[in-house]
Amino acid sequence: WGIGILAVNNNNPAERAQFEGAQKVAALSIALVEATAYVSSGVYGNVADIGMFMCAIIVFQLLLATVVCILLDELLQKGWGLGAGSTLFIATNICDTIIWKSFSPTTINTGRGTEFEGAIIAFFHLLVTRSDKSRALREAFYRPQMPNLVNLLATIFVFLIVVFFQGFHVDLATVRTNSTAPSEPFQ
């Protein structure tokens, strides 16, 4: 494995199980150190303001999320699911970003007044609060430096194009010198 620091015989079930267990303990240890560093550095709020109990709850939530990720990765390694675990986590992160940028209830003072970060929530907010509806629509579709509806529609369009082209199927002829089997389709 890797650069060969640890010698693990994957054919021996006991050694393989011990190695996989050590990987999980290492992942949880790293997650505990990172979660503690994040909470103590104030990423989730000032420690004095939120209290030690809430800090412990946040660290526990981050550790629980790590356990879920470990279990999902294990399921994918065993063959349950599509693709590799890393691509699943990348796709999950991208979906999270798209949903957040669409429906974020966070308000930001832009200089023109308070606006919602999420494109869809901002769309409805601008339509309700602005007297000039055509200007509100223009702003919702093209607002600068913040998620807007054009960004969201472009993302949906690219996604649909990718799904469309993913369905294409091309047969490529392969030549085998030692077999008379027919060509196999590649996607």
Side-chain angles (χ1 to χ4, degrees), residues 42-85:
V43 171
Y44 298 101
N46 190 357
V47 175
D49 293 340
I50 62 176
M52 290 304 292
F53 179 73
M54 285 306 295
C55 289
I57 294 294
I58 293 170
V59 169
F60 176 73
Q61 284 179 331
L62 293 171
L63 283 176
L64 191 62
T66 302
V67 170
V68 169
C69 287
I70 289 171
L71 292 174
L72 284 173
D73 185 54
E74 191 172 315
L75 283 173
L76 289 171
Q77 285 179 3
K78 301 281 190 227
W80 296 91
L82 301 172

Side-chain angles (χ1 to χ4, degrees), residues 38-143:
Y38 268 84
V39 171
S40 63
S41 68
V43 171
Y44 298 101
N46 190 357
V47 175
D49 293 340
I50 62 176
M52 290 304 292
F53 179 73
M54 285 306 295
C55 289
I57 294 294
I58 293 170
V59 169
F60 176 73
Q61 284 179 331
L62 293 171
L63 283 176
L64 191 62
T66 302
V67 170
V68 169
C69 287
I70 289 171
L71 292 174
L72 284 173
D73 185 54
E74 191 172 315
L75 283 173
L76 289 171
Q77 285 179 3
K78 301 281 190 227
W80 296 91
L82 301 172
S86 59
T87 56
L88 172 72
F89 296 125
I90 291 169
T92 303
N93 187 24
I94 292 169
C95 290
D96 173 56
T97 303
I98 292 169
I99 295 297
W100 182 257
K101 296 291 185 185
S102 299
F103 298 105
S104 171
T106 304
T107 56
I108 298 172
N109 189 356
T110 60
R112 298 182 310 255
T114 302
E115 292 184 24
F116 285 95
E117 181 184 10
I120 294 174
I121 294 178
F123 168 72
F124 289 112
H125 178 259
L126 290 169
L127 280 179
V128 170
T129 59
R130 302 288 159 93
S131 58
D132 186 3
K133 301 302 181 196
S134 64
R135 186 170 176 202
L137 279 173
R138 212 171 20 255
E139 193 172 336
F141 273 88
Y142 302 109
R143 62 187 185 149

Side-chain angles (χ1 to χ4, degrees), residues 149-162:
L149 291 178
V150 170
N151 297 137
L152 180 62
L153 292 173
T155 301
I156 292 169
F157 178 72
V158 167
F159 177 75
L160 292 175
I161 294 290
V162 168

